[in-house]
C-alpha cells in the first residue's frame, strides 16, 4: 500500500471502518434508518431470481408513488408490519411481522410524491428484516423507475426534487469523509459529467434535477443500490407479476434474459449513457402495457395464450393502471390489477392488498376497515394524472415548472 500524503490522515489503519461509518452516516441522515453492518448487507451482483416456488402466503401491493404514510398503511394492512396501535409499532419501525410471507410490490415507488428516497430505504431495510425471519419483500420495476433512470422527470414533484437535493448534500459529506482517509481508494464522484444548468427550467430547481440525475442514472449510487437488483418480471408459483403486462414476444425473448439485461443497464454495465432496452420503452412495453389492466373488456383469449407460454402460470398480477373502485380481476381471475391509486399524489385511493394462499388457489382482497377509511377520504388528493399519462400528455408534476415539458424528457450526463 502506498503511503499516504503527510497532509492526509491514514485513518489509523481502519479504512474499512471509516468507509462504513461514512455510509451509515449518510444512510441515517437521508432516511433516519441504520442498516445492519455486522456483516453489512452485500450488494447483489445479479438480479433477483425470476422464478420462485409458491410460499404458504403470497401478498401483492400496488404502486406507491412517493407516499410513505399511505405505503405504511398498506404494509400494515397486509400484516407485514405490526398494527399502528401495537407496542412494537413506530413510524420508523422496520420489523417484519409476517413470518414466511412473500410480498411483491408492483413497482412505481418513484415520482408524484416527496418520500421517494425514504421509501426506497424503508423497503430495502424491511426486506432485510423479512429475510432474517424466513420471509421476503420483493419490489419489481415500474415504468417510473425506468423513466427516472433514463432522466425522464416529467412526473417529479417539487418535494421530490428537494429530497434529492438533501440527499446530494449528505452524500457529498460522506465523500468528503472518505477522501480524508488516505488508506481508501478515491471514491467515485457521481456528480461528474452531470449538467449544472437546465435551460427552460427555473433556476431554483437545477440543483434538485442535477442531484436526481447523479443518483438515478445508470451506475448512479441510488440506482445501483436500490433498483439494479429488482426484477422486471417475477414468477412466484403460478402467479406472474409484472408492472404493465406481458405479450407473446416478451415471453419468447425470455423473462430471465429481460431481467438480466435491465439489471445490467441500470448497473451501468452497458455504458453510462446506454439506452434502456426497447422492451421497457413504449406503449406495449412490459412496464407500460395496459392491454390487460383497463376496464372489464379484456382480451382474455390473448391473455390465456400468453400465460400458456409460461409453464404453470395461471394468472398475471399487474400494477400501473389505477383501479378507482379497488383491486379488480377479470378473465376468470387470470388478470388481477392491484394499483388502487394509493398515493395522495396519484388518486389518494384507499389502501388495498391482494393475498394469495391455499396452495395459490385462494385470492382475497384485504381492504381498509370502513372505520378507518374516513382518515383517507378527508385528505384532499392531488390531481390524478393517470389519464394524462396514458397518451403522453403531462399537466402536473415537474412539467408545471418548465416552459416546455420536453426539457425534462431524457437528461443526458457525460460519462
Amino acid at each position: 500500500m502506498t503511503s499516504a500524503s503527510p497532509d492526509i490522515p491514514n485513518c489509523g489503519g481502519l479504512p474499512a471502518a471509516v468507509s462504513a461509518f461514512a455510509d451509515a452516516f449518510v444512510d441515517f441522515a437521508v432516511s433516519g434508518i441504520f442498516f445492519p453492518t455486522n456483516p453489512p448487507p452485500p450488494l447483489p451482483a445479479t438480479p433477483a431470481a425470476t422464478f420462485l416456488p409458491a410460499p404458504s402466503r403470497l401478498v401483492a401491493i400496488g404502486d406507491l408513488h412517493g407516499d410513505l404514510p399511505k405505503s405504511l398503511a398498506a404494509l400494515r394492512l397486509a400484516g407485514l408490519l405490526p398494527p399502528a396501535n401495537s407496542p412494537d409499532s413506530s413510524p420508523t419501525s422496520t420489523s417484519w411481522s409476517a413470518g414466511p410471507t412473500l410480498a411483491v410490490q408492483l413497482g412505481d415507488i418513484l415520482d408524484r410524491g416527496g418520500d421517494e428516497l425514504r421509501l426506497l430505504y424503508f423497503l430495502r431495510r424491511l426486506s432485510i428484516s423479512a429475510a432474517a425471519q424466513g420471509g421476503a419483500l420483493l419490489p419489481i420495476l415500474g415504468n417510473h423507475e425506468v423513466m427516472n433512470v433514463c432522466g425522464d422527470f416529467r412526473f417529479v414533484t417539487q418535494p421530490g426534487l428537494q429530497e434529492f437535493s438533501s440527499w446530494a448534500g449528505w452524500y457529498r459529506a460522506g465523500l468528503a469523509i472518505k477522501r480524508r482517509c488516505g488508506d481508501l481508494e478515491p471514491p467515485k464522484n457521481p456528480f461528474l459529467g452531470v449538467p449544472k444548468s437546465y435551460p427552460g427550467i427555473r433556476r431554483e430547481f437545477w440543483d434538485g434535477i442535477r442531484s436526481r440525475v447523479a443518483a438515478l442514472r445508470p451506475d448512479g449510487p441510488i440506482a445501483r443500490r436500490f433498483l439494479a437488483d429488482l426484477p422486471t418480471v417475477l414468477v412466484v408459483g403460478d402467479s406472474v407479476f409484472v408492472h404493465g403486462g406481458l405479450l407473446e414476444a416478451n415471453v419468447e425473448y425470455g423473462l430471465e434474459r429481460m431481467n438480466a439485461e435491465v439489471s445490467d443497464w441500470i448497473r451501468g454495465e452497458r455504458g453510462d449513457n446506454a439506452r434502456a432496452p426497447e422492451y421497457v420503452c413504449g406503449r406495449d412495453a412490459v412496464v407500460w402495457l395496459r392491454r390487460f389492466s383497463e376496464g372489464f373488456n379484456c382480451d382474455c383469449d390473448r391473455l390465456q395464450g400468453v400465460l400458456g407460454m409460461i409453464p404453470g402460470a395461471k394468472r398475471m398480477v399487474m400494477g400501473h393502471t389505477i383501479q378507482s373502485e379497488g383491486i379488480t380481476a377479470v378473465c376468470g381471475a387470470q388478470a388481477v390489477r392491484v394499483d388502487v391509486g394509493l398515493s395522495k399524489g396519484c388518486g389518494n385511493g384507499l389502501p388495498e392488498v391482494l393475498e394469495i394462499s391455499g396452495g395459490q388457489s385462494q385470492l382475497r382482497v384485504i381492504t381498509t376497515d370502513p372505520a378507518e377509511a374516513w382518515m383517507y377520504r378527508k385528505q384532499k388528493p392531488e390531481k390524478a394524472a393517470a389519464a394524462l399519462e396514458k397518451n403522453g400528455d403531462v399537466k402536473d408534476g415537474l412539467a408545471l415548472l418548465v416552459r416546455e415539458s420536453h426539457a425534462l424528457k431524457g437528461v443526458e450526463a457525460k460519462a
Side-chain angles (χ1 to χ4, degrees), residues 3 48 106 136 201 206 216-217 222 313 321 352 358 383 389 395:
S3 60
L106 271 293
I201 301 175
W206 287 4
L216 291 170
R217 63 170 165 166
I222 296 298
T321 302
E352 285 191 350
K383 184 178 179 181
E389 185 178 326
K395 299 296 183 185

Side-chain angles (χ1 to χ4, degrees), residues 10-347:
N10 65 7
C11 304
L14 297 172
V18 172
S19 181
F21 165 79
D23 291 339
F25 165 74
V26 174
D27 284 348
F28 188 79
V30 173
S31 68
I33 294 173
F34 282 119
F35 281 73
T37 57
N38 189 24
L43 290 175
T46 59
T50 302
F51 295 89
L52 296 174
S56 58
R57 181 173 183 254
L58 178 60
V59 169
I61 302 170
D63 307 23
L64 303 179
H65 280 305
D67 190 329
L68 182 59
K70 295 290 289 292
S71 299
L72 292 176
L75 292 168
R76 292 191 185 103
L77 193 63
L80 309 183
L81 291 173
N85 57 359
S86 166
D88 298 329
S89 179
S90 74
T92 57
S93 172
T94 55
S95 297
W96 181 261
S97 62
T101 295
L102 191 159
V104 181
Q105 193 279 317
L106 271 293
D108 277 8
I109 300 166
L110 299 178
D111 286 343
R112 294 187 174 143
D115 299 326
E116 299 162 277
L117 281 169
R118 288 201 296 162
L119 259 176
L120 287 172
Y121 273 91
F122 186 90
L123 294 175
R124 179 54 59 90
R125 182 62 185 86
L126 185 60
S127 72
I128 295 171
S129 177
Q133 298 187 43
L137 173 60
L138 303 174
I140 67 175
L141 290 171
N143 61 302
H144 285 265
E145 282 72 54
V146 171
M147 290 169 69
N148 275 269
V149 177
C150 290
D152 184 342
F153 299 155
R154 285 173 291 164
F155 293 91
V156 173
T157 64
Q158 185 173 347
L161 287 182
Q162 293 169 343
E163 191 185 30
F164 274 81
S165 284
S166 177
W167 165 83
W170 291 115
Y171 195 85
R172 288 188 179 100
L175 289 178
I177 292 172
K178 293 179 181 180
R179 291 189 184 116
R180 291 292 298 168
C181 181
D183 294 339
L184 284 173
E185 289 291 326
K188 181 177 180 179
N189 184 353
F191 302 94
L192 292 178
V194 180
K196 295 183 178 180
S197 62
Y198 299 87
I201 301 175
R202 285 158 50 184
R203 185 181 292 268
E204 65 194 90
F205 301 116
W206 287 4
D207 182 68
I209 294 171
R210 184 168 191 255
S211 301
R212 200 171 181 104
V213 173
L216 291 170
R217 63 170 165 166
D219 198 30
I222 296 298
R224 172 175 278 271
R225 182 176 182 186
F226 295 109
L227 304 181
D229 60 314
L230 304 186
T232 305
V233 184
L234 181 63
V235 182
V236 182
D238 58 16
S239 298
V240 180
F241 295 91
V242 60
H243 183 71
L246 293 174
L247 296 177
E248 297 87 346
N250 306 133
V251 183
E252 289 173 354
Y253 190 81
L255 306 185
E256 292 175 310
R257 181 182 178 187
M258 285 194 296
N259 282 347
E261 290 177 353
V262 173
S263 178
D264 287 346
W265 165 62
I266 296 176
R267 195 172 282 110
E269 294 179 5
R270 305 179 108 193
D272 290 342
N273 292 318
R275 292 187 178 275
E278 61 180 13
Y279 45 79
V280 292
C281 301
R283 185 178 298 273
D284 286 339
V286 295
V287 295
W288 281 98
L289 187 74
R290 299 185 192 272
R291 188 182 299 270
F292 306 126
S293 58
E294 282 189 309
F296 291 92
N297 296 318
C298 183
D299 189 345
C300 297
D301 289 340
R302 187 166 191 186
L303 173 62
Q304 187 173 17
V306 174
L307 290 173
M309 299 173 67
I310 305 171
K314 293 182 179 179
R315 70 187 62 86
M316 191 179 296
V317 184
M318 297 157 283
H320 188 46
T321 302
I322 293 176
Q323 311 298 306
S324 58
E325 301 301 318
I327 293 175
T328 63
V330 296
C331 302
Q334 288 185 312
V336 186
R337 298 85 72 92
V338 299
D339 179 10
V340 294
L342 175 145
S343 171
K344 189 179 178 184
C346 189

Side-chain angles (χ1 to χ4, degrees), residues 389-410:
E389 185 178 326
K390 291 177 190 176
N391 58 23
D393 193 11
V394 181
K395 299 296 183 185
D396 67 348
L398 191 59
L400 285 177
L401 310 178
V402 301
R403 291 192 293 269
E404 296 182 8
S405 63
H406 62 71
L408 297 169
K409 197 171 183 179

